[in-house]
Amino acid sequence: MAVFKTTILTLEEAAFEDKVDSLVVPGLNGRFGVLAGHAPLVAALQAGILKIGKGLETIYFVTGDGMINISHEGVLILAEAAIKCSGDFDAEEKLEAYIRASSPVPV
C-alpha cells in the first residue's frame, strides 16, 4: 500500500509526524477517509477521533476542532488539541472527557 506523510500540529507541539497508509478524520459533516493519491482538499474538522493506519498498527488521537490540508506533498492537520490514545476504547473515553472539559460552564 502507498504511504503519505502526515503531520498533526497543535499550538503547543507537533503531536505526530510520520508516513502512514490511511487516515479516518472527523469532518464537520461526518468522518471521511484519506488514502495516498487523495485529491487536494482543505476541510474543517470537528472534535473527534482521528484514526491512523500504519502498516499493521492503528494509532488513535482525540483531536479538537481544526482543519486538514490534503495536498500532493502530504497531509497537514492543525487542531486545537491532539491527545494520543492507547486504543479505540481509550479514545472514546478521552473524547468524552475532552468534550466535557471544552464545554462552556453553565452560569
Side-chain angles (χ1 to χ4, degrees):
M1 180 177 272
V3 296
F4 55 95
K5 181 180 175 188
T6 297
T7 304
I8 303 172
L9 299 176
T10 69
L11 290 174
E12 291 83 29
E13 65 179 345
F16 181 86
E17 186 168 7
D18 205 349
K19 293 188 185 230
V20 304
D21 299 318
S22 64
L23 297 172
V24 177
V25 297
L28 283 182
N29 295 317
R31 291 180 285 181
F32 64 93
V34 179
L35 297 172
H38 194 288
L41 172 73
V42 175
L45 301 177
Q46 64 181 346
I49 297 172
L50 171 68
K51 185 174 163 183
I52 300 170
K54 184 179 174 202
L56 298 176
E57 181 182 15
T58 302
I59 303 166
Y60 294 89
F61 279 88
V62 168
T63 58
D65 293 342
M67 58 85 59
I68 185 170
N69 180 5
I70 303 169
S71 70
H72 297 295
E73 288 81 39
V75 173
L76 173 64
I77 296 172
L78 304 175
E80 290 178 351
I83 305 160
K84 191 167 183 181
C85 304
S86 60
D88 191 27
F89 182 74
D90 184 44
E92 292 290 340
E93 287 183 339
K94 286 185 178 174
L95 177 58
E96 289 177 23
Y98 177 79
I99 290 172
R100 276 195 310 275
S102 302
S103 297
V105 178
V107 178

